Amino acid sequence: MDLNRLAVRLSRSENLPVLPQAVSSVLKLADDPNAGPRDLERVIERDPAITAKILRAANSAYYGSPNVPNIGRAIAFLGMNAVRSLVVSVAFQGMTANRGTSQRFDNLEYWRHSLAVATGARILGRLRMPMRAEELYCAGMMHDIGYLILDRFMGTELDTALEQALNDKTPIHEQEEFLYGFTHADVGGLLAEKWGMTPMIQAAVKYHHNPQEDGNYFETTCFISAANVLAHQAGFTNNTVGITWELEPHVVKAVGIPLEQFDAIRDVMVQEVLKAEDTFKIQ
């Protein structure tokens, strides 16, 4: 299947992974300077499943509060930005629970990698551009959404790419480009647009392997690119164990973080994934 045919299937919404309406609305609120806590509360409470998961997480040891009875209290306790990111996390975890057609692709490994990248992106954002830290978290969580489509529609081809990547010890996106003529990042860009993600998140999804091609959001895309590499180095390899990943010089320059700080970021990635697994009772 070529990218044009895949784009047609996406445009027709054929068996697409569904982004909960609450997530779309929450991300739009993040861009609305007039939105307040009550607006966020109303949006979340429209989705009972997400509401239940938010409250379970807010009352867990991870957040340190035993008495968060409703979404309004969760927002007051955690803050709007933290709740926005939590909404994306719990919704995304639910979306990745369904099995696709690939025999090799492990959804749990995919979720761990996505969470690690989101964590790293948020840390880099807090250090360099605090106002965008939570949007960077969401971009990190969504950066590999193209795999959801490949797993759904091109399972056999994805299996081949994974096998070749492991055999040749090369990143999977290089094998995808060779085998299909496009990558999961290209597909993810289409899905991010379909879902109505913010322009920055769309760019990060599409260009995180090649940020130098991003003419509009180069710096923030470099943050996602750096977090992706750090996640691989931390052991969250997204189904491709044993492949060496190195930070590109132009990415390191754009991020502007001393190399010695990356060890601490990798450590935090590990801690956050372990905590999240305990919070959401993931085995």
Side-chain angles (χ1 to χ4, degrees):
M1 185 182 300
D2 61 27
L3 188 59
N4 289 333
R5 287 178 60 198
L6 203 52
V8 169
R9 299 192 76 169
L10 291 179
S11 68
R12 293 175 177 170
S13 301
E14 294 183 9
N15 298 315
L16 286 183
V18 177
L19 185 70
Q21 183 61 43
V23 178
S24 298
S25 299
V26 162
L27 292 176
K28 289 176 182 176
L29 283 177
D31 280 344
D32 184 353
N34 297 315
R38 183 58 184 149
D39 299 303
L40 182 60
E41 182 180 357
R42 280 195 294 264
V43 164
I44 295 172
E45 288 182 338
R46 291 173 191 159
D47 191 315
I50 288 181
T51 295
K53 290 182 179 180
I54 294 292
L55 292 178
R56 185 173 71 184
N59 283 286
S60 70
Y62 181 80
Y63 288 104
S65 174
N67 186 26
V68 181
N70 54 54
I71 293 298
R73 188 71 172 269
I75 294 170
F77 177 67
L78 300 174
M80 286 183 64
N81 286 335
V83 170
R84 286 189 191 113
S85 296
L86 189 54
V87 167
V88 173
S89 296
V90 299
F92 196 69
Q93 189 266 324
M95 287 166 53
T96 59
N98 296 324
R99 179 86 184 162
T101 59
S102 168
Q103 299 301 306
R104 287 178 169 269
F105 189 70
D106 185 325
N107 282 350
L108 180 55
E109 289 302 311
Y110 168 65
W111 179 81
R112 287 185 177 121
H113 173 77
S114 299
L115 180 58
V117 174
T119 298
R122 174 194 273 155
I123 295 170
L124 294 173
R126 286 175 175 171
L127 291 171
R128 289 295 312 283
M129 48 179 68
M131 296 298 292
R132 305 204 79 164
E134 297 306 320
E135 189 178 10
L136 284 164
Y137 178 92
C138 295
M141 204 74 207
M142 298 288 182
H143 79 288
D144 270 348
I145 55 173
Y147 281 125
L148 299 178
I149 300 303
L150 295 180
D151 188 28
R152 184 71 57 92
F153 297 122
M154 297 177 57
T156 300
E157 292 90 339
L158 177 57
D159 285 341
T160 301
L162 284 168
E163 183 177 6
Q164 286 299 113
L166 291 170
N167 288 341
D168 297 348
K169 303 300 181 186
T170 55
I172 187 172
H173 65 276
E174 296 179 7
Q175 295 294 339
E176 291 168 343
E177 186 70 50
F178 176 75
L179 292 168
Y180 326 145
F182 58 89
T183 73
H184 65 274
D186 296 316
V187 178
L190 295 174
L191 185 56
E193 182 179 2
K194 176 75 175 177
W195 277 351
M197 297 287 97
T198 66
M200 186 274 270
I201 293 178
Q202 291 184 39
V205 170
K206 183 174 181 179
Y207 296 113
H208 67 273
H209 288 302
N210 300 290
Q212 67 276 16
E213 296 181 10
D214 186 351
N216 296 315
Y217 297 93
F218 170 75
E219 186 175 16
T220 49
T221 296
C222 280
F223 281 32
I224 304 305
S225 180
N228 179 58
V229 172
L230 293 174
H232 279 280
Q233 293 174 344
F236 301 107
T237 61
N238 198 8
N239 296 275
T240 54
V241 177
I243 295 171
T244 300
W245 287 77
E246 299 291 343
L247 289 161
E248 296 287 346
H250 63 272
V251 171
V252 175
K253 182 178 179 180
V255 169
I257 302 295
L259 290 175
E260 56 268 22
Q261 292 191 25
F262 288 136
D263 285 340
I265 294 174
R266 285 188 286 264
D267 289 342
V268 174
M269 285 178 170
V270 174
Q271 295 166 17
E272 289 297 306
V273 172
L274 291 175
K275 288 178 182 178
E277 288 177 346
D278 180 63
T279 298
F280 298 125
K281 308 303 180 188
I282 293 171
Q283 300 298 321

